Every structure is written in structure tokens, then in C-alpha cells.
């Protein structure tokens, strides 16, 4: 069954890829057609009547009739939709509300329809698998992979519409084929305790000696996966040897019973794993999963600080970053295994681009898909299939090339996710470059970091909190003014907030 599904997915991926290649030869035409389709579908909605959708016949008409928006424009509309009102922003029914991460402010609820999810899913489910197959087909085994994800609903609206992450919503759509493609049972995907879920993802992945790939939403999830492996390997080996989930894992008895039915004692596998773990964890992935071909996860930009740490465990297996997506839209797909760049997907949304000039946003005029220049940075504006019109998602991208006639972009940073105490606008890109350089110079093994502003002194400053994997002595640190506490967390204070270097 698994091989049959893979064959279907790969063939479907070829169809999607061929259509995608055709679209990218005439991006302006395709993207305008998508816009007019969205407008025509929603002529009779409340928003369509208010902004005269019936008279919009071109991109220019749309820009004249509809203002640039942000989330505040939609809050009242979305509240009413959550209470069950229909035909407000879109004519279609809401499948669920995707909640954003809240990294640049309070959490937002983004409408998702069956149609909008389906359009995005064909790229994640089909196109990306086709890219992987074409890149690794000489060693392709049609084996299962481990997918570090969940299908957990956070809540429901007053009218009973689910609220969940975009990832959970997407996983719900394929829940019936999960056992054939992925090692983790459906029960594991439903566990809300993240630590318990990660342990169980590992347990069932370790049972599969022919594992073909490891997939997670972000590369930080992949790193957590291997760190839990290193920390809990003795417990995992014991569970595999005995064929049951130990009582230390925080799950309900119904879930434990269901999972135990899927396990059986596997002494030979436990002994093989124990032998490899005792040799150390450098390059462990290929030693315990000899048929492992690649890691599939979003990396690049601020996530790239985790790449070297993952490479330690995987002996530098290829890391494929498949897509550039947000809760609001599936924006880009990556046709390359060995590069992190995304081709704008023309049929998931209509795009406009606000130029970033000398670090400043110039929103007087938005550019269309065929008006961008290589090397320039732009803020993305989308009109999607689920009720957002001329919506500024806050992402800044850089055009780095072209795929046929369609822009290839790199994600740079979130526009509002900056350190900005004295208008210096230190963004994610600045932070990532500085931290990576510092860690490399001092040869320090970083786990994670965060930062906060400190206005208690003049001039103001930023305080950076670093957590390191290994215990280090004070004389190893060359950065001035370092405070080390007993929990192995380093608190590093920069000289002042007007200097972007650390």
C-alpha cells in the first residue's frame, strides 16, 4: 500500500510540476487570472458589495478600489464569521481558522476554506515529493518516513469552527493515509504534550530500520528530535526491547493501550540500536537508519543557525527546504534540493510587492509579479482564496533569480520582528549573522537564544540569553561582560543598542 501511494503521489507530482512550469512562463497573466477568479467568486459577499467587486476587471481596478490592509482591518469580520455568519469575506464555507504563531504581536485567526487548503496541499503533498524522488531516485526505497507534526485542535469558535495551526489543519486532511506514509500512528499525532509526542515519534521511527526520510515543520523541530534521542536513548531502547510504552511518558491510558497494541518486543533491534548509541551520537542517523536519504524541513534565514547542529547528528545528509508558506498563503515552492530559494506559486494567491528602499518601506505604489528586480528586497502583499485582500503579511523577501519568468526569492525577515529601541531597526537577518559569527569565532555549541531590550541604563542596550549544549568555563568566553549562572545559561550584554555587532 505504501509503495502504491508513493507511485500515485510521484505521478501526481509530475502533473503538478508540468502545470507549474507552464504557469511560470507567463506569471503576470496567470496571477491576474487568479485575482479575477477570487474577485468574481466573492462579488455577492459583504466585502464584495462594499468595494464594488462587480466592476473590477483588472489589477489596476482592484488597486484603485481596495486599500492595503493589515489584520486590524479584518478582526470584526473574522469575529462574526467565527460566530457563524456567512458570506462576509468569502462566499465559501470556512473549514477551520488557522492561528498564527504570534511572533510579531498577538495571535491572529486566519480563515481557511476547503478550496484554499486543497490548492496549497497539491504543492506540499505532490510537488515537493516529486522533487525528492527525482533527486534521490537511484536510492529511492518507497519506505516510510517520520513526520514530526500533529493534528491537534487548539479550540473552537462559538459556532463550532475548529481553530488550529495551519500544519495541524493540513494534517487532518490526510489523516487516513498517515499509517502508510509515516511511522508515527495517528494517536501520536493527537497528543498535546509536545515532549511526550516527540518521544513517541522517536519510538516508532526507531522501530523502522528502513526509514527513508525525516520531516518536520522547521529545522529546530528536527534538532529537538535528535536531542531527545540523545537524552532518552536508554529509555527508548528499553521500550523497544519490551514492546511497550513506559509509564514515565505523559499520555492517557486509552492512548497508551492503543499504542501498545502496535508494539511488540524487538530484542534484536534494541541490541543493534544500543550498540550504535554506545559509539556516540555524531553521525548517528545513518548508523541506525542506513537507508535514510534526506531531511525535509524549512530552514534558511534565522533558522540556519540550527543547520550545523543537525548536520552533527546526520553526517550532513541533504536538507531539503520545500516551501515558503505562512498561515495566510502558500507563497513559494523550492525546486532545488541543494539550494534554499523559492519560486513564487502563482495560483495560490495574487501578489503585490512593496519595495524596501534603504531599509524603509515605500507603500505609495505596489509592484506586480513581472516588475521585480534581482537583488532588491520587497514586502509581500497577498490576496488569497480565503478572504484576505491586499493583505500585508509582514514578510520581506529578496529576489535572487528567475525560474522561467517567475521570481525566485529568499525569505529575509519579518518586517515587524525587529529590535528597535532607538530606530536602528535591527532585524532577524542582523541577529542571525551576528550570532552565527560569534558562535563560530568562539567555537561554542549553541542550543538556542532569545533577547530583550533593557532601558534601565543610558544608552539603552539589548540583553541576549544563550543556552549552550556543553559546559564551558569562563576563560573560554572572549566576549566582554559575560555573566554565567549555575544553569549553564549565558547572559551576554552588548555595549549599547546603537551597535548591531555583538
Amino acid at each position: 500500500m505504501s509503495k502504491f501511494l508513493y507511485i500515485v503521489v510521484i505521478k501526481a507530482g509530475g502533473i503538478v510540476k508540468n502545470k507549474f512550469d507552464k504557469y511560470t512562463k507567463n506569471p503576470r497573466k496567470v496571477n491576474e487570472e487568479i485575482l479575477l477568479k477570487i474577485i468574481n467568486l466573492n462579488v455577492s459577499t459583504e466585502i464584495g458589495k462594499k468595494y464594488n467587486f462587480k466592476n473590477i476587471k483588472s489589477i489596476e481596478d482592484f488597486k484603485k478600489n481596495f486599500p492595503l490592509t493589515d489584520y486590524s482591518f479584518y478582526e470584526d469580520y473574522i469575529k462574526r464569521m467565527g460566530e457563524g455568519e456567512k458570506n462576509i469575506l468569502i462566499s465559501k464555507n470556512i473549514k477551520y481558522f488557522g492561528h498564527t504563531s504570534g511572533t510579531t504581536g498577538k495571535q491572529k485567526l486566519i480563515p481557511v476554506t476547503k478550496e484554499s487548503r486543497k490548492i496549497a496541499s497539491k504543492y506540499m503533498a505532490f510537488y515537493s515529493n516529486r522533487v525528492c524522488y527525482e533527486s534521490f531516485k537511484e536510492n529511492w526505497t518507497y519506505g516510510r518516513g517520520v513526520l514530526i507534526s500533529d493534528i491537534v485542535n487548539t479550540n473552537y469558535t462559538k459556532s463550532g469552527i475548529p481553530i488550529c495551526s495551519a500544519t495541524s489543519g493540513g494534517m487532518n486532511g490526510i489523516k487516513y493515509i498517515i499509517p502508510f506514509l509515516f511511522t508515527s500512528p495517528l494517536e501520536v499525532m493527537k497528543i498535546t504534550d509536545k515532549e511526550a509526542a516527540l518521544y513517541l515519534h522517536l519510538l516508532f521511527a526507531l522501530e523502522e530500520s528502513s526509514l527513508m526520510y525525516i520531516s518536520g515543520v522547521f529545522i529546530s523541530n528536527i534538532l529537538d528530535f535528535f536531542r531527545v534521542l540523545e537524552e532518552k536513548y536508554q529509555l527508548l531502547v528499553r521500550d523497544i526491547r519490551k514492546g511497550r510504552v513506559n509509564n514515565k511518558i505523559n499520555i492517557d491510558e486509552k492512548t497508551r493501550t492503543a499504542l501498545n497494541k502496535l508494539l511488540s518486543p524487538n530484542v534484536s533491534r534494541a541490541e543493534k540500536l544500543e550498540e550504535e548509541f554506545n559509539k556516540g551520537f555524531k553521525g548517528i542517523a545513518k548508523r541506525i537508519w542506513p537507508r535514510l536519504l534526506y531531511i525535509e524541513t524549512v530552514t534558511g534565514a534565522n533558522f540556519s543557525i540550527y543547520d550545523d547542529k543537525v548536520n552533527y547528528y546526520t553526517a550532513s545528509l541533504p536538507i531539503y527546504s520545500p516551501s515558503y508558506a505562512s498561515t495566510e498563503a502558500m507563497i513559494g515552492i523550492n525546486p532545488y534540493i541543494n539550494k534554499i530559494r523559492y519560486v513564487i506559486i502563482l495560483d495560490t494567491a495574487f501578489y503585490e510587492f512593496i519595495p524596501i528602499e534603504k531599509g524603509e518601506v515605500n507603500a505609495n505604489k505596489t509592484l506586480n509579479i513581472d516588475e521585480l528586480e534581482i537583488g532588491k528586497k520587497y514586502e509581500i502583499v497577498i490576496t488569497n482564496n480565503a478572504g484576505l485582500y491586499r493583505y500585508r503579511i509582514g514578510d520581506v523577501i529578496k529576489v535572487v533569480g528567475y525560474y522561467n519568468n517567475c521570481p525566485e526569492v529568499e525569505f529575509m525577515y519579518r518586517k515587524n520582528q525587529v529590535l528597535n529601541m532607538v530606530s536602528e531597526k535591527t532585524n532577524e537577518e542582523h541577529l542571525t549573522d551576528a550570532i552565527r559569527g560569534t558562535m563560530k569565532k568562539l567555537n561554542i555549541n549553541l542550543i538556542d537564544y532569545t533577547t530583550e531590550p533593557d532601558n534601565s541604563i543610558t544608552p539603552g542596550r539589548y540583553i541576549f540569553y544563550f543556552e549552550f549544549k556543553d559546559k564551558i568555563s569562563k576563560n573560554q568566553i572572549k566576549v566582554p561582560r559575560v555573566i554565567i549562572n549555575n544553569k549553564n545559561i549565558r547572559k551576554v550584554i552588548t555595549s549599547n543598542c546603537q551597535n548591531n555587532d555583538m
Side-chain angles (χ1 to χ4, degrees):
M1 185 64 177
S2 296
K3 184 173 181 178
F4 171 75
L5 284 172
Y6 269 119
I7 291 171
V8 171
V9 166
I10 290 164
K11 286 186 175 179
I15 295 170
V16 173
K17 188 176 184 298
N18 288 338
K19 186 172 284 189
F20 177 78
D21 289 346
K22 181 180 177 182
Y23 282 169
T24 56
K25 292 175 182 177
N26 199 345
R28 169 67 179 257
K29 180 177 180 292
V30 173
N31 212 214
E32 185 166 18
E33 288 173 353
I34 294 301
L35 170 64
L36 296 179
K37 180 181 177 182
I38 292 169
I39 294 300
N40 291 334
L41 279 172
N42 299 299
V43 165
S44 299
T45 62
E46 181 176 320
I47 201 82
K49 292 175 182 177
K50 181 176 181 180
Y51 289 97
N52 200 20
F53 280 11
K54 67 179 181 180
N55 289 325
I56 293 176
K57 307 298 180 186
S58 67
I59 293 174
E60 290 71 27
D61 291 343
F62 180 56
K63 290 182 179 182
K64 288 177 184 176
N65 279 38
F66 213 101
L68 289 170
T69 65
D70 58 22
Y71 188 73
S72 62
F73 178 90
Y74 299 95
E75 283 186 288
D76 289 340
Y77 292 120
I78 288 174
K79 181 181 179 183
R80 290 166 55 197
M81 292 163 72
E83 292 171 350
E85 288 192 51
K86 308 282 187 181
N87 223 32
I88 305 297
L89 293 174
I90 47 174
S91 59
K92 301 289 187 180
N93 291 329
I94 301 299
K95 184 72 175 177
Y96 64 89
F97 286 100
H99 62 69
T100 63
S101 62
T103 53
T104 57
K106 67 179 181 180
Q107 200 172 70
K108 307 175 182 70
L109 297 183
I110 305 299
V112 178
T113 67
K114 181 179 179 181
E115 293 76 12
S116 66
R117 188 188 69 186
K118 184 178 179 181
I119 293 169
S121 295
K122 70 181 181 183
Y123 289 100
M124 278 305 298
F126 301 133
Y127 187 103
S128 61
N129 271 291
R130 181 74 184 196
V131 171
C132 292
Y133 172 74
E134 290 179 348
S135 300
F136 302 108
K137 58 185 174 183
E138 290 183 4
N139 297 306
W140 195 265
T141 64
Y142 297 95
R144 294 192 299 174
V146 56
L147 177 61
I148 308 164
S149 187
D150 64 62
I151 53 174
V152 177
N153 285 342
T154 303
N155 211 332
Y156 292 86
T157 68
K158 287 184 179 180
S159 64
I161 301 172
I163 299 171
C164 58
S165 69
T167 306
S168 295
M171 289 300 298
N172 256 312
I174 62 167
K175 61 184 178 182
Y176 297 112
I177 64 171
I178 282 174
F180 302 107
L181 297 178
F182 312 120
T183 53
S184 299
L186 190 61
E187 289 83 359
V188 174
M189 302 282 188
K190 294 180 178 180
I191 294 171
T192 56
D193 185 309
K194 298 298 183 184
E195 186 175 344
L198 199 54
Y199 180 91
L200 291 166
H201 281 303
L202 270 164
L203 179 61
F204 284 91
L206 289 170
E207 286 272 0
E208 190 94 357
S209 60
S210 59
L211 195 75
M212 190 172 73
Y213 64 91
I214 299 172
S215 179
V217 181
F218 301 114
I219 195 165
S220 53
N221 304 134
I222 303 294
L223 184 55
D224 288 342
F225 178 81
F226 283 111
R227 284 176 173 157
V228 171
L229 176 64
E230 186 171 5
E231 180 184 347
K232 305 285 188 181
Y233 75 92
Q234 292 175 319
L235 206 55
L236 287 160
V237 167
R238 189 174 74 178
D239 284 358
I240 290 171
R241 181 176 281 116
K242 292 184 176 182
R244 63 177 184 268
V245 180
N246 69 82
N247 292 328
K248 294 181 180 180
I249 304 304
N250 181 31
I251 52 176
D252 61 79
E253 287 309 308
K254 182 180 178 181
T255 300
R256 190 184 305 278
T257 300
L259 293 178
N260 282 339
K261 288 180 180 179
L262 300 173
L263 295 168
S264 58
N266 193 341
V267 176
S268 61
R269 179 63 175 161
E271 289 179 353
K272 173 63 177 174
L273 290 169
E274 191 168 45
E275 178 184 343
E276 294 301 330
F277 293 148
N278 288 336
K279 295 176 184 176
F281 284 82
K282 185 175 182 179
I284 187 65
K286 285 290 286 183
R287 289 190 277 120
I288 59 176
W289 295 301
R291 296 185 179 180
L292 194 64
L293 294 178
Y294 62 95
I295 309 295
E296 183 174 351
T297 186
V298 174
T299 185
N302 57 315
F303 286 111
S304 60
I305 63 170
Y306 301 109
D307 287 0
D308 289 344
K309 314 309 172 192
V310 170
N311 287 337
Y312 169 83
Y313 293 105
T314 68
S316 298
L317 274 173
I319 300 174
Y320 173 50
S321 188
S323 64
Y324 164 33
S326 66
T327 310
E328 296 86 353
M330 180 81 169
I331 297 169
I333 195 77
N334 186 1
Y336 312 109
I337 284 288
N338 58 351
K339 290 188 287 189
I340 303 174
R341 52 173 59 186
Y342 308 99
V343 183
I344 299 293
I345 304 174
L346 300 165
D347 60 336
T348 54
F350 170 72
Y351 302 96
E352 300 171 64
F353 301 87
I354 301 173
I356 306 291
E357 299 171 354
K358 297 181 180 179
E360 298 293 331
V361 175
N362 180 6
N364 293 326
K365 178 185 177 183
T366 62
L367 302 178
N368 298 320
I369 193 80
D370 61 331
E371 298 175 319
L372 310 185
E373 296 180 46
I374 292 177
K376 297 289 184 69
K377 295 178 184 178
Y378 304 91
E379 179 192 338
I380 293 184
V381 178
I382 66 160
T383 297
N384 71 6
N385 290 279
L388 302 180
Y389 303 92
R390 305 198 75 199
Y391 181 80
R392 301 174 69 169
I393 62 175
D395 286 6
V396 173
I397 54 92
K398 180 180 179 181
V399 178
V400 293
Y402 275 87
Y403 183 95
N404 292 329
N405 297 315
C406 194
E408 293 180 344
V409 304
E410 290 180 356
F411 172 79
M412 301 305 292
Y413 56 88
R414 294 282 289 170
K415 184 169 62 71
N416 296 322
Q417 198 167 335
V418 297
L419 303 176
N420 197 30
M421 289 175 64
V422 289
S423 300
E424 83 287 358
K425 297 181 178 64
T426 303
N427 60 42
E428 285 184 88
E429 185 183 9
H430 300 141
L431 279 182
T432 302
D433 287 346
I435 290 169
R436 189 189 295 112
T438 302
M439 296 304 108
K440 183 177 180 180
K441 184 176 181 179
L442 300 179
N443 195 26
I444 296 174
N445 196 347
L446 179 68
I447 291 180
D448 218 331
Y449 75 92
T450 189
T451 184
E452 66 176 357
D454 178 16
N455 286 308
S456 64
I457 63 170
T458 300
R461 61 186 178 180
Y462 294 118
I463 300 177
F464 291 83
Y465 298 89
F466 294 123
E467 181 180 2
F468 301 115
K469 184 176 186 297
D470 304 314
K471 186 175 181 180
I472 57 179
S473 62
K474 292 182 181 181
N475 61 11
Q476 284 180 282
I477 300 294
K478 308 299 183 194
V479 179
R481 305 179 67 188
V482 177
I483 302 170
I484 302 179
N485 66 24
N486 292 330
K487 294 182 180 179
N488 202 32
I489 305 297
R490 277 62 180 175
K491 180 178 175 183
V492 183
I493 305 176
T494 59
S495 57
N496 67 65
C497 67
Q498 292 174 300
N499 185 352
N500 288 336
D501 297 325
M502 290 195 292

